[in-house]
C-alpha cells in the first residue's frame, strides 16, 4: 500500500517562514490591537471544538479546569487565550521555535490580560535540553503538520513521528491527554504515526464530512491520546 504519510518539503516547514509570518502579524497587531492574527483551521471551527472537547471531558483522565497545559508550536497563542476565556485557569505554557511568534503571543497576552495564566517561551521541541517539565494536557494545532513539511532528519533512522511521540511521552503526566488537530493526516494516520505502547488513542472530535469521487472524508481531524 502507498505511504500517504510522506509529505513534500515546503517553506511552511522552515523557521524563517514562521519568523517572517509572525513578525508581520505582530506589526499588524501593534497598529491595530483588534487584529490578533490568523487562527489556524478557523474555517473548520477547530479551536472552538478543541476547547469544547476539553470542557465536555472535564473529570476524565487528568482534564480539570486547573489542569496544567502546554501548547506546542503555539503561533499567536490564541488557543491558550480561548481556554482562559472558557474558564481554564491552570498554568499554561505556549512554546514555539519562532521567537517572533513568542514575542507576538506575549504582546497579545499582556494587552488582553491573560499574562497571569499563560506564559510563552521560545523552544525547539526537538532540542534535547528544551523540556520544561510535565503537563496534564499537551496541545497541537497544526504544528505536526508544519514539522512534517520540514524534511527533518534524525539519527538512528528515527522518523519525525518517532521523535514527536517521544517528545509527547516525555512531557505528559501519567493519565494526561494529548489533543492534536491536523489537516495533513487522517485520524487513522495520526493513530498509526503517534500511538505507542504508552501513548494510546482515547477519543476523537467529529467534524462535518464531505464525499468526493465516492470517498468520504473530513478536511481536518482532531484526535486525543492519553498516557498510560
Ligand atoms: C501551522 S502553525 C500553527 C500555529 C498555532 N498552533 C495555531 O494554531 O495558530 C505551526 C507552528 O509550529 C511552529 N513550529 C514548527 N516547528 C517547530 C518546532 N520544532 N518547535 C517548536 N515550534 C515549531 C511554527 O513556528 C508555527 O508557529
Amino acid at each position: 500500500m502507498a505511504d500517504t504519510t510522506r509529505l513534500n518539503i515546503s517553506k511552511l516547514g522552515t523557521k524563517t517562514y514562521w519568523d517572517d509570518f509572525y513578525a508581520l502579524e505582530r506589526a499588524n497587531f501593534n497598529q491595530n490591537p483588534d487584529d490578533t492574527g490568523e487562527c489556524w483551521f478557523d474555517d473548520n471551527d477547530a479551536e472552538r471544538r478543541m476547547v469544547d472537547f476539553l470542557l465536555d471531558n472535564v473529570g476524565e483522565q487528568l482534564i480539570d479546569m486547573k489542569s496544567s497545559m502546554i501548547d506546542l508550536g503555539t503561533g499567536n497563542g490564541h488557543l491558550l487565550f480561548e481556554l482562559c476565556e472558557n474558564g481554564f485557569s491552570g498554568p499554561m505554557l505556549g512554546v514555539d521555535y519562532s521567537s517572533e511568534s513568542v514575542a507576538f503571543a506575549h504582546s497579545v497576552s499582556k494587552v488582553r490580560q491573560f499574562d497571569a495564566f499563560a506564559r510563552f517561551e521560545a523552544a525547539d521541541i526537538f532540542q534535547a535540553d528544551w523540556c520544561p517539565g510535565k503537563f496534564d494536557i499537551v496541545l497541537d494545532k497544526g504544528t505536526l503538520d508544519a514539522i512534517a513539511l520540514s524534511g527533518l532528519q534524525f539519527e538512528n533512522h528515527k522518523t519525525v513521528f518517532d521523535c514527536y511521540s517521544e517528545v509527547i511521552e516525555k512531557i505528559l503526566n501519567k493519565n494526561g491527554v494529548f489533543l492534536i488537530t491536523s489537516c495533513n493526516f487522517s485520524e487513522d494516520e495520526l493513530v498509526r504515526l503517534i500511538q505507542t505502547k504508552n501513548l494510546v488513542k482515547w477519543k476523537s472530535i467529529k467534524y462535518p464530512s464531505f464525499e468526493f469521487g465516492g470517498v468520504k472524508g473530513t478536511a481536518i481531524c482532531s484526535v486525543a491520546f492519553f498516557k498510560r
Side-chain angles (χ1 to χ4, degrees):
M1 200 167 74
D3 182 359
T4 54
T5 61
R6 282 177 173 278
L7 303 177
N8 290 329
I9 295 170
S10 143
K11 64 180 183 176
L12 268 73
T14 65
K15 185 171 171 299
T16 315
Y17 174 84
W18 295 110
D19 277 337
D20 293 347
F21 182 86
Y22 289 113
L24 181 63
E25 297 235 316
R26 186 150 73 105
N28 293 341
F29 176 72
N30 287 341
Q31 287 197 343
N32 172 14
D34 288 333
D35 182 358
T36 52
E38 177 162 343
C39 203
W40 227 250
F41 309 147
D42 210 14
D43 291 354
N44 301 93
D45 217 8
E47 192 169 276
R48 182 73 250 155
R49 285 171 198 259
M50 289 174 83
V51 173
D52 284 348
F53 175 85
L54 293 175
L55 285 170
D56 291 347
N57 286 285
V58 164
E60 298 206 42
Q61 306 295 352
L62 287 188
I63 304 174
D64 183 275
M65 296 311 285
K66 291 202 175 302
S67 295
S68 55
M69 301 193 195
I70 183 167
D71 184 22
L72 305 179
T74 195
N76 57 15
H78 203 275
L79 177 57
L80 294 183
F81 302 144
E82 199 60 21
L83 287 159
C84 290
E85 293 267 21
N86 280 272
F88 286 95
S89 58
M92 295 183 189
L93 175 63
V95 294
D96 204 292
Y97 73 170
S98 162
S99 48
E100 289 293 340
S101 136
V102 171
F104 177 37
H106 187 69
S107 309
V108 181
S109 176
K110 252 188 133 174
V111 170
R112 299 276 161 94
Q113 298 181 333
F114 292 123
D115 44 342
F117 303 104
R119 297 185 296 121
F120 295 92
E121 278 176 17
D124 180 335
I125 61 166
F126 293 120
Q127 292 293 316
D129 56 353
W130 85 282
C131 185
K134 286 193 187 294
F135 296 82
D136 301 329
I137 298 174
V138 177
L139 301 162
D140 172 334
K141 183 158 68 72
T143 300
L144 181 61
D145 289 339
I147 290 168
L149 296 169
S150 66
L152 269 180
Q153 304 279 340
F154 295 91
E155 285 168 10
N156 305 328
H157 303 291
K158 280 187 182 171
T159 66
V160 162
F161 308 104
D162 297 331
C163 296
Y164 194 68
S165 302
E166 278 174 20
V167 167
I168 306 298
E169 279 194 36
K170 201 162 151 192
I171 58 172
L172 201 54
N173 281 321
K174 189 166 176 249
N175 296 323
V177 171
F178 169 51
L179 179 60
I180 177 168
T181 297
S182 164
C183 68
N184 279 335
F185 302 107
S186 66
E187 181 172 332
D188 288 349
E189 285 171 340
L190 283 182
V191 173
R192 185 152 50 84
L193 295 169
I194 291 172
Q195 185 160 263
T196 64
K197 195 160 65 75
N198 297 321
L199 197 59
V200 182
K201 184 194 163 187
W202 181 42
K203 296 182 181 189
S204 59
I205 298 178
K206 296 289 161 243
Y207 288 87
S209 67
F210 62 86
E211 198 164 340
F212 184 74
V215 180
K216 259 196 165 178
T218 52
I220 62 169
C221 67
S222 302
V223 185
F225 298 80
F226 75 96
K227 183 170 160 184
R228 270 207 250 263

